[in-house]
Amino acid sequence: MRLLHTSDWHLGRSFHRVGLLDAQAAFLDHLVATVRDREVDAVLVAGDVYDRAVPPLPAVELFDRALHRLAEAGVPTVMISGNHDSARRLGVGAGLLGRAGIHLRTDPAGIGTPVVLADAHGDVALYGLPYLEPALVRERLGAAKPGHEAVLAAAMDRVRADLAARPAGTRSVVLAHAFVAGGAPSDSERDITVGGVAAVPTTVFDGVDYVALGHLHGSQALTPRVRYSGSPLAYSFSETDHRKTMWLIDLGADGEVAAAERVDCPVPRPLARLRGRLEDLLADPALDRHQDSWVEATLTDAVRPHDPMARLAERFPHTLHLVFDPERTDTESLASYAQRLRGRSDQQIAEDFVSHVRAGGGLDAAERNVLHGAFDDVRVDAAATEREGGR
């Protein structure tokens, strides 16, 4: 059975205030074309369909069109809710949609009830585990203790119990939305850490043939049978080096992953992270290749340049994010900074701080006078407040 594993569409999300709806539409066109061209038997969508619980109307319309096209293709789709989705909103109409081959799994109560498909080698049971917030589902699932590992273990107990009652040789697939140990995160994922447990082990999913994971935005294989598809688009500059893909998985007759292929997703615009002094970034001919990229620039100038964003945009029109990380000229360690504050006046401490953030450049006479006046005003106000309190 050939499975197309995808996740983390985040419909409605923007990239540093640049709308991505057209790029998301292009991805969904590509997904439907892949389903038809590569003779896919089932589509797996492992959560975070939307970017927020109440998505904007254009994102809902895009989702609706995608469902219609997948249904028209006659290829079953199994979809779970992620931590960005509203499970109840996404699950509206699940019963009716199921008749069209679109199987939404958003209610924890249905964890042990799979979508059963068949091929020449027999049945394949596909179990959908929506994002499980421990505080909300622990009691319902009978988890032994709080935390993601405990609730996922309880959910998988239900999966294994149902699977054990099925005919011998039934193959199994689980969709889950979670942070699993060994996965490499990026900056664009919402933290789901609970109870101090950063990730759950892959062993939680023992006993099934393939695990289609969502949540982390980088495509990665934790084991041959446990994989993240990653997001189809980059949603932060931390994903600059990601190759955005879907997994095309061939599940063999005995449940083995007979083949696993990464299918590339359309790239609306490449990303580039540039670092250096402003004048160097503007003059370096080696950076010409980034003129059409979305750019994050980290400026290392000791003193902040004048109007840096506008100047960068002249060469890199799609500059979206600016970071300042000035080169340091002082040799004193950060560890000794607190010690240097001892015995110094508020004025001296403030001047030291300004010098620190300016990479050694101190205040001029006018700035020093302004700072002195500000401290005087604070002291006057404090004294007046104290007098009023005494009365």
Side-chain angles (χ1 to χ4, degrees), residues 17-97:
R17 292 178 291 184
V18 175
L20 291 178
L21 206 64
D22 289 344
Q24 291 170 335
F27 158 69
L28 291 172
D29 289 344
H30 171 66
L31 183 147
V32 173
T34 301
V35 167
R36 295 180 184 277
D37 297 343
R38 303 300 300 271
E39 298 181 343
V40 170
D41 296 308
V43 176
L44 314 179
V45 186
D48 281 354
V49 175
Y50 291 120
D51 189 56
R52 53 183 184 266
V54 184
L57 183 57
V60 177
E61 293 170 342
L62 181 58
F63 177 63
D64 181 61
R65 291 197 300 272
L67 294 190
H68 276 83
R69 295 171 68 188
L70 288 169
E72 289 168 2
V75 176
T77 297
V78 183
M79 183 178 297
I80 63 172
S81 50
N83 60 299
H84 280 250
D85 299 310
S86 164
R88 295 190 66 180
R89 287 187 174 90
L90 185 64
V92 168
L96 289 174
L97 289 170

Side-chain angles (χ1 to χ4, degrees), residues 254-279:
D254 297 322
E256 76 280 10
V257 177
E261 177 187 346
R262 293 178 69 181
V263 180
D264 289 294
C265 298
V267 179
R269 193 178 296 280
L271 307 185
R273 289 181 125 172
L274 310 182
R275 181 182 180 87
R277 294 184 176 92
L278 178 60
E279 295 301 331

Side-chain angles (χ1 to χ4, degrees), residues 99-390:
R99 298 179 185 179
I102 307 295
H103 304 280
L104 298 175
R105 291 295 185 264
T106 63
D107 186 349
I111 284 171
T113 305
V115 176
V116 180
L117 306 178
D119 64 8
H121 305 293
D123 287 349
V124 178
L126 298 97
Y127 298 88
L129 277 59
Y131 170 66
L132 301 172
E133 178 61 47
L136 300 180
V137 302
R138 177 190 175 187
E139 292 185 2
R140 292 177 65 186
L141 295 179
K145 55 186 177 179
H148 285 292
E149 182 175 354
V151 296
L152 275 171
M156 284 302 301
D157 285 344
R158 295 192 178 191
V159 168
R160 284 185 284 263
D162 179 85
L163 188 58
R166 295 189 175 274
T170 299
R171 291 160 290 165
S172 56
V173 174
V174 163
L175 290 77
H177 196 87
F179 186 4
V180 179
S186 58
D187 292 344
S188 55
E189 299 130 6
R190 185 179 296 164
D191 183 22
I192 58 173
T193 300
V194 171
V197 179
V200 300
T202 57
T203 53
V204 165
F205 300 104
D206 283 353
V208 296
D209 296 313
Y210 184 72
V211 181
L213 293 174
H215 179 58
L216 299 185
H217 288 182
S219 178
Q220 49 203 299
L222 306 186
T223 74
R225 66 178 187 86
V226 181
R227 299 171 187 260
Y228 281 101
S229 67
S231 60
L233 299 172
Y235 292 118
S236 75
F237 278 104
S238 67
E239 301 168 54
T240 298
D241 296 328
H242 285 190
R243 175 186 165 198
K244 295 300 185 182
T245 62
M246 302 177 285
W247 282 111
L248 194 65
I249 301 294
D250 285 346
L251 196 65
D254 297 322
E256 76 280 10
V257 177
E261 177 187 346
R262 293 178 69 181
V263 180
D264 289 294
C265 298
V267 179
R269 193 178 296 280
L271 307 185
R273 289 181 125 172
L274 310 182
R275 181 182 180 87
R277 294 184 176 92
L278 178 60
E279 295 301 331
D280 294 338
L281 297 182
L282 296 177
D284 187 352
L287 300 181
D288 285 347
R289 68 185 187 277
H290 297 308
Q291 289 182 347
D292 291 328
S293 301
W294 279 322
V295 168
E296 176 190 72
T298 298
L299 300 184
T300 61
D301 302 74
V303 178
R304 183 174 299 208
H306 174 68
D307 206 8
M309 181 64 89
R311 295 172 66 190
L312 281 166
E314 289 180 4
R315 185 178 186 194
F316 308 105
H318 306 287
T319 301
L320 299 181
H321 191 218
L322 198 56
V323 180
F324 292 96
D325 186 16
E327 296 173 346
R328 300 292 170 186
T329 59
D330 59 297
T331 59
E332 295 182 272
S333 69
L334 293 175
S336 67
Y337 185 71
Q339 297 174 356
R340 300 202 311 271
L341 300 184
R342 294 174 184 168
R344 302 180 69 80
S345 67
D346 290 344
Q347 175 88 14
Q348 290 171 322
I349 291 172
E351 291 186 19
D352 283 351
F353 175 77
V354 173
S355 179
H356 174 69
V357 298
R358 287 183 174 177
L363 283 73
D364 58 27
E367 291 172 329
R368 191 171 287 107
N369 288 336
V370 169
L371 189 60
H372 183 75
F375 276 115
D376 282 345
D377 289 341
V378 170
R379 282 190 287 270
V380 169
D381 289 343
T385 300
E386 185 176 353
R387 285 196 301 271
E388 290 296 325

